[in-house]
Amino acid sequence: MIRWLFAILAGLVLGGIVHLVSVLALPRVATKDAYSRLAAITPVNAVSQLPLAEPRNALLPFQDPAFATAVCRYDLTSGSLKFSVPVSQAYTSVSFYTRNDVAYYAINDRSAGRRVIELDLMTPEQRAELPEEEDVTAADRLIIESPTLTGLIIIKALAAEPDLMAQARASLLAATCRLQNDPAAR
Amino acid sequence: MRLIFISLIALIVATAVGLGATWMTSTRGISFGAITIGAWTAWPRTGTADIDPYARAAIARSGELPIGSGDGVAFIARTDDNGRQLDGRCDITVSGITPAARFWTLTLYDARGNLVSNSLQRYGFTSQEIVRTADGSFDIRIAPRSRSGNWLPTGGLDRYLLVVRLYDTPVGAATRSQRDAPMPAITTVACP
């Protein structure tokens, strides 16, 4: 009898460990997380528009249907990224997600404070390598540090009424994201 | 022989308990730092780098992207104010006011987070479309058949959930109570 109790007790303790390990491992082994879903249909280091949220073609769950959405899937392996988007009439926001879908930074048109949201995205190492004086003269340049080499920038523009959706989508067409040292961009 | 058998039992219990608990927590969305106001619950920390491991597991499994805290905050309701499941065959009202925010949206989803199809292609309201009374409060009617005023169709779905997203809002991790964030009341008016 005591052996059975011991077996169950040991099972519960081990089970607790299994639970903790599996919760921590889940984000790393998940294959249908948002990044993986978007990676399948989006180019890297370029902006692409996502289809409107509709009942049948739900790309991601819990999308807000009042928003036009575009995504820039980035990879900072070969350098930092320059990003810009003009603000739309109603409300525009730019959110940054790591490879594991953690929202590490988000900014909206009002906190950006101008007609165009412009920023540089780099890893902490790339930022450390920036020449000192450049860092100072670029005081008005917003620099975001990405905790991971790859990730997602999600750009959203609100269509306050359904009729304004075309306008919101059009404002996202002007969004750009490209590698800083991309020769084609100079 | 006995020892092997007992170890086997222990391992089976471990697997069942461990994976079962992980599945439960990642599907039910159990995580820390929740703000509950009436029937509405928000997890503002889920939209920051301080997200807890349970919320990370839940979003990795569901495939959603949580709303960033610099963007806004999302409140979810699965029940009315009396704790009754939201039922798409019933008439339900969402009435009152919302916390300070530049914009807000209210959206109806099925339990998996998909929009619910209907002939109007209306999946929710934004703060600008809504018809309000003179004092600025609103009354949204969620029902399977058309109603006057702010009608949101349910498509006759038996269970659904509502999400209010506040954009550019002071509501966040520091918010505690109804006084900081007056969320609208959810009432089941009539059920067939």
Side-chain angles (χ1 to χ4, degrees), chain B residues 4-174:
Chain B
I4 293 175
F5 189 65
I6 282 180
S7 321
L8 207 63
I9 295 286
L11 288 178
I12 290 170
V13 170
T15 313
V17 168
L19 295 182
T22 301
W23 186 80
M24 291 266 287
T25 51
S26 66
T27 47
R28 300 264 175 92
I30 290 170
S31 79
F32 306 107
I35 301 174
T36 301
I37 297 168
W40 304 92
T41 308
W43 290 271
R45 267 189 14 215
T46 299
T48 68
D50 292 335
I51 182 170
D52 65 78
Y54 283 106
R56 285 185 66 161
I59 60 168
R61 206 200 61 83
S62 74
E64 71 186 281
L65 285 173
I67 179 168
S69 63
D71 186 16
V73 60
F75 280 86
I76 297 187
R78 295 170 196 275
T79 66
D80 70 6
D81 284 356
N82 295 322
R84 182 174 170 165
Q85 286 270 359
L86 296 176
D87 188 331
R89 294 162 296 194
C90 300
D91 272 39
I92 289 172
T93 60
V94 176
S95 55
I97 53 171
T98 53
R102 215 160 110 213
F103 290 97
W104 56 262
T105 63
L106 174 108
T107 316
L108 188 152
Y109 297 97
D110 69 10
R112 290 168 158 261
N114 297 313
L115 299 171
V116 178
S117 55
N118 60 74
S119 54
L120 279 182
Q121 292 184 312
R122 185 185 287 165
Y123 312 118
F125 287 107
T126 72
S127 47
Q128 290 212 338
E129 314 175 75
I130 212 100
V131 181
R132 293 165 199 267
T133 55
D135 63 352
S137 68
F138 59 82
D139 198 354
I140 296 170
R141 193 92 170 181
I142 305 173
R145 276 179 240 292
S146 78
R147 298 286 184 267
S148 62
N150 303 309
W151 170 53
L152 192 54
T154 65
L157 201 72
D158 58 344
R159 267 184 197 183
Y160 63 88
L161 47 93
L162 294 171
V163 179
V164 164
R165 292 187 178 87
L166 309 168
Y167 291 99
D168 200 354
T169 173
V171 175

